[in-house]
Amino acid sequence: MSDDEQARAPIQFAGRRWLFPSALVHELDPDSGAFDRRPRRTARDWVVDISCFLLAVGIGLAAAQSLPEKPGLPHSLVVLDQTLGALSCGAVWLRRRWPAGLAAALVPVGLLSDSSGGAAMVALFTLAVHRPFRYVAWIGGVDLALVPLFYWWRPDPDLPYLVVVLFTTLFTVSITGWGMFVRSKRMLMLSLRDRAHRAETEARLRAEQAQRLAREAIAREMHDVLAHRLTLLSVHAGALEFRPDASREEIARAAGVIRESSHEALQDLREIIGVLRAGESDESSGGRPQPTLAALDALVAECRAAGMKVTLDHRVADPAAVPASVGRTAYRIAQEALTNARKHAPGTEVTVRLTGAPGDGLTVTVTNPAPPAEVPPVPGSGQGLIGLTERATLTGGHLEHGACPDGGFEVRGRLPWPRP
């Protein structure tokens, strides 16, 4: 079994089964037997069942010996009483299979048989242990209501009527309360088991969610970092392919850009894979520092060196004062927008405008006109903008993008910049 399957498998019952009731073991470990079969008795069940049978027989024998001493009791009724008592004691072995039926059947039997009182008490206790309170309320309530009638019909020769009625009522209530207490302990154990399973499931789901979020963050970072580099490679490789008559200086310049972009892409890829292996965040990794708003000039210069026409309108007086997370998001927005303009509108002049101040927020806008000729669609387009929208939302801002009336395209991100 794999580690993932072991994590999803329910916890098996690890205790000594023979010390626990079979019903409880069956609930704690459902795989121990089929649901359509009654669980087998454990050693504890046999001890308890034998004890209950002997208790019922002992009480029945004591009551049967006192029957001839009761005045005015016909011999036929004595025989009937003892016969029903013996059958009731034998029926105690059925208490686990039919607890409600046995307890209900012994209620009218108790009116005719004094020697079945022990078996009736055992059945009532079993009912309180194995069935909800509504069964106990109905059957136990009827049993208590018939106590005064039974001792009015067959009074005890040694005790007053009120005393024997009160004693029997208290004894019946005590037996019922004891059974309900045992049931509550079992229900508590089952609830703790379910709570432990639920906690393990929630912990596993949180771990899976954290892994998924980490993968998504790494995927976004790989897209943001590598898409820019690979686009430069594609542009210059295409230029070399379609311009075989280019001068040696142009070929050398394009080859240098390809070499530098390849080196940077490989370096970025190594750092991201290193973060993935180490399980650390970007900030805690030992690689190069993440780009901030101060690196925007270098990004524009790199695009110009690659042959793009880029106009930078930088109106932020102190880029170093921008919070690191906000500046990094603004840099990624500009990087992705320049990459998209290079892919979808090659040869056009791109304008990058950056404005903002503390308390007013930071706005980065990248626009480009319509391409001079039709450009074939690029597979996977739009995924980067989706990731940037989520990144901007996480920083407390928002991103808008869409076509302009003149056929161009605009990407506008507004990010929070709180006052110091």
Side-chain angles (χ1 to χ4, degrees), residues 71 113 194 234 313 325 351 400 411:
S113 175
D194 293 339
S234 176
D313 186 7
S325 61
T351 302
E400 300 175 354
V411 177

Side-chain angles (χ1 to χ4, degrees), residues 54-264:
L54 294 178
L55 178 62
V57 170
I59 296 177
L61 289 176
Q65 291 178 359
S66 63
L67 287 177
E69 300 176 0
K70 294 185 178 181
L73 192 63
H75 178 73
S76 58
L77 189 57
V78 173
V79 174
L80 177 63
D81 191 314
Q82 295 174 350
T83 303
L84 292 177
L87 294 176
S88 300
C89 293
V92 167
W93 291 101
L94 303 176
R95 67 188 188 93
R96 294 183 182 274
R97 179 172 297 183
W98 298 300
L102 179 62
L106 289 180
V107 171
V109 172
L111 287 175
L112 302 175
S113 175
D114 195 9
S115 57
S116 65
M121 289 297 133
V122 173
L124 188 60
F125 173 79
T126 305
L127 177 68
V129 171
H130 294 279
R131 291 296 181 265
F133 177 73
R134 62 179 182 273
Y135 294 93
V136 181
W138 280 103
I139 300 176
V142 173
D143 199 0
L144 289 175
L146 294 178
V147 168
L149 178 61
F150 175 79
Y151 285 104
W152 174 80
W153 179 38
R154 301 174 63 175
D156 191 285
D158 301 325
L159 295 175
Y161 174 77
L162 292 179
V163 174
V164 71
V165 169
L166 181 61
F167 175 78
T168 305
T169 301
L170 291 178
F171 185 72
T172 303
V173 172
S174 301
I175 290 294
T176 305
W178 183 19
M180 294 175 63
F181 173 73
V182 173
R183 176 178 174 80
S184 66
K185 289 183 62 178
R186 294 184 181 182
M187 292 296 102
L188 176 61
M189 186 178 297
L190 294 176
S191 66
L192 293 177
R193 186 279 312 267
D194 293 339
R195 187 179 302 176
H197 284 182
R198 193 179 305 112
E200 291 181 357
T201 302
E202 292 176 355
R204 185 175 66 250
L205 292 177
R206 286 195 297 268
E208 293 176 353
Q209 183 180 14
Q211 292 177 355
R212 185 176 65 256
L213 293 177
R215 293 190 187 100
E216 292 176 355
I218 292 172
R220 287 196 302 268
E221 194 66 24
M222 291 183 68
H223 180 276
D224 294 342
V225 171
L226 297 180
H228 177 72
R229 309 289 183 189
L230 297 179
T231 303
L232 291 177
L233 289 174
S234 176
V235 170
H236 286 83
L240 291 179
E241 180 182 2
F242 291 103
R243 288 286 307 279
D245 56 342
S247 63
R248 297 184 60 183
E249 291 77 8
E250 293 177 346
I251 295 177
R253 185 171 62 253
V257 173
I258 292 175
R259 180 185 58 82
E260 183 66 23
S261 298
S262 300
H263 176 74
E264 294 290 338

